[in-house]
Amino acid sequence: MKPIIAGPCSAESQEQILKTAEFLSSQTPVNTMRAGVWKPRTRPGGFEGCAEDGLRWLHEAKQRFGLSMAVEVAVPEHVELCLKHQIDMVWLGARTSGNPFAVQEIAEALRGTQLSAMVKNPLNPDLQSWLGAIERIEKSGISGVKAVHRGFSINLESQFRYPPMWEVPVEIKRLRPDIAVFCDPSHIAGEAHLVPIIAQKALDMEMDGLMIEVHPTPKAALTDASQQLDFAGFEHLLQHLIVKNTTSPGNELQQMRALIDDLDEELIAVLAKRMKLVGEIGAYKNTNQITILQMERWKAAMKHRIDFGRKNQLDDDFMLALWRLIHSESLRIQGN
Ligand code: PEP
Ligand code: MN
């Protein structure tokens, strides 16, 4: 089995941390426990973490159950406090890793320390920012920096909270074969019952490990309640995950097919968004008594799409056929 980092989204109480650590210390592939003690909330006013109290509980759990401890840091002061409480590993969250100023400040705070570090992907699928954040931490002398794939905040209809866009972590692995890329199925999935699907897919894509949110009573969790696994759910997941033989013929094909499946889902989501807008435009034309098909607009739009397709190495005839089809569906939606 690949290494697994597990633990609650947030440290909430001494009892919760000790209970979780005791359970995780009995689960073989887990050697590191995660917990957030400073919680970046999208909007102010929610639970923002137990800060130094949380670090004290993690330190106690580390001493009692022998797990390494990992905590999210967002500013240099967090790094100082992690050192004070003998935390082993820090990670930069998705809201931090896309900001080079913040990453650089954290990198400076890490310089000369023994802390290990992980960098989650930024909220948007910006490969260069992700790589840049990893490089900044490496330049401060920290070795063995890991990348963590946690999905992307893109405005696409998806069954997942943060669509995985597997082509991005696969590209990171291609560009940086020397670093470990972990997957965080919990934040990608957003729902506990979808976590095993993403976790298995990550192993099929040859990711190097997993980071999974586990909580003694997920329903009562103060953050990310719907995506955390309870202890039984986590054990069940471990029993069912399969690491396939990566050298077997067909594995590469399986990976490429998984990428195609993912891209097709993105295509469908974009098409659905387009057709929804088409419906709204139809209603507007109707209210304002504008005819549906305007030939000049259609010709100009078609030319632009074919030119743009050509710039992207797509065949003219294919573009023409595709856009005729999309356009005729748009006309149907607008009631023509
Ligand atoms: C977390 O790990 O709980 C977290 C806040 O993650 P992310 O930065 O991926 O949103
Ligand atoms: Mn979380």
Side-chain angles (χ1 to χ4, degrees), residues 9 34 39 72 91 93-95 120 150 187 213:
C9 179
R34 61 147 285 152
K39 296 309 294 180
E72 175 176 352
W91 81 82
R95 288 156 194 79
K120 286 197 168 194
R150 52 76 82 195
H187 288 87
E213 287 189 340

Side-chain angles (χ1 to χ4, degrees), residues 275 320-330:
M275 294 308 173
L320 188 62
L322 181 64
W323 254 275
R324 280 206 172 119
L325 189 64
I326 289 176
H327 189 245
S328 77
E329 176 61 2
S330 304

